[in-house]
Amino acid sequence: MKKSTKLVLYSMPAVLLIAGTIFMGSIIAVAQSFGYFPEIGLRQFTLSYYKEIFATPILWSSFLYSFKTAIISSLLGVGFGFVLSYALVCRPKEWPLYKRFTILPVAIPHIIVVAIVFNLFIRTGFIARVLIATGLIESHVQFPNLLFSSSGFGVVAVYFWKAFPYTVMVVYSVLKSMDKSYKSVTLNLGANQWQYFIHVVLPLARPLLLTTTIILFAFS
């Protein structure tokens, strides 16, 4: 028996268990959404719950809020991550702190990131105290209400913290492995660094950036 076949057979029990759990959970969730929940005495299928929730204005405002915070944090993370990745590639030597920087998304749990963002940007937090100490503002009241508002700043900041290093980790390795002859040919043909970045690096990296954006958006 081939080694690949053995690996498939050995992994099948775990795959079937996980797939079966997800499938049954999805079936039960769909059935309950249609009103079939025998454990609490509901045995009749109905569309009334869907009609009620889709008629509630807060559903659509919540959906738009989630969409807005997810897309903004994803685009910012990918944008800044791509720029930093390209800057690191252009360095003559590899950045010594690169590996430590890229493990931030894994090493720091979301709850810790939330606490950091909270203590930084709350009106009585670290940034507000620094601004007061330097005389830029007179009191905490003058500091903008960034967290307890409908702007979604806090949510975007937390997910940006995660998206930024992740993008650097993914994009940097790809840019570093890019054929260096592209740059030599482009510069020899009379292009400058900016034209090389726009017309060569960006088109080659576009599929990866799109994929990374979709992953981060779905996660957020």
Side-chain angles (χ1 to χ4, degrees):
M1 186 179 295
K2 294 182 179 180
K3 185 177 180 179
S4 59
T5 305
K6 289 183 178 180
L7 291 176
V8 171
L9 292 178
Y10 290 154
S11 61
M12 283 302 294
V15 172
L16 291 175
L17 177 62
I18 296 173
T21 302
I22 295 175
F23 177 76
M24 290 304 300
S26 301
I27 294 297
I28 293 173
V30 171
Q32 291 177 354
S33 72
F34 283 103
Y36 185 77
F37 200 166
E39 288 80 1
I40 60 174
L42 300 176
R43 299 179 180 275
Q44 185 176 359
F45 284 90
T46 178
L47 292 174
S48 60
Y49 302 116
Y50 280 100
K51 293 179 181 178
E52 181 179 352
I53 191 64
F54 281 112
T56 304
I58 195 174
L59 170 68
W60 302 109
S61 61
S62 299
F63 171 78
L64 292 176
Y65 182 85
S66 298
F67 183 87
K68 177 185 72 173
T69 55
I71 193 66
I72 292 176
S73 60
S74 302
L75 291 177
L76 288 177
V78 171
F80 281 93
F82 175 62
V83 172
L84 179 59
S85 299
Y86 182 70
L88 292 177
V89 170
C90 293
R91 285 171 55 92
K93 295 182 179 180
E94 185 173 295
W95 186 33
L97 297 178
Y98 163 71
K99 292 183 178 180
R100 294 184 180 181
F101 177 78
T102 53
I103 65 173
L104 280 176
V106 180
I108 304 180
H110 272 89
I111 189 64
I112 303 300
V113 180
V114 170
I116 294 173
V117 171
F118 182 82
N119 284 283
L120 282 176
F121 296 104
I122 194 174
R123 279 187 163 179
T124 56
F126 178 76
I127 295 179
R129 293 175 185 272
V130 170
L131 294 178
I132 293 174
T134 55
L136 295 177
I137 60 176
E138 296 180 357
S139 67
H140 299 291
V141 180
Q142 294 179 323
F143 190 76
N145 184 19
L146 297 175
L147 300 184
F148 300 100
S149 65
S150 60
S151 65
F153 176 86
V155 180
V156 171
V158 169
Y159 282 104
F160 172 78
W161 178 294
K162 290 285 189 177
F164 183 36
Y166 174 79
T167 302
V168 175
M169 178 179 64
V170 173
V171 176
Y172 173 74
S173 58
V174 174
L175 293 182
K176 189 176 181 181
S177 62
M178 188 179 297
D179 194 345
K180 295 182 180 180
S181 62
Y182 290 147
K183 185 174 184 179
S184 300
V185 173
T186 305
L187 297 180
N188 287 334
L189 291 175
N192 54 35
Q193 293 285 351
W194 176 250
Q195 290 172 325
Y196 167 71
F197 176 78
I198 294 296
H199 298 290
V200 179
V201 177
L202 194 57
L204 290 175
R206 187 178 293 122
L208 177 62
L209 296 178
L210 179 61
T211 303
T212 305
T213 303
I214 293 174
I215 294 173
L216 293 173
F217 173 78
F219 178 76
S220 300

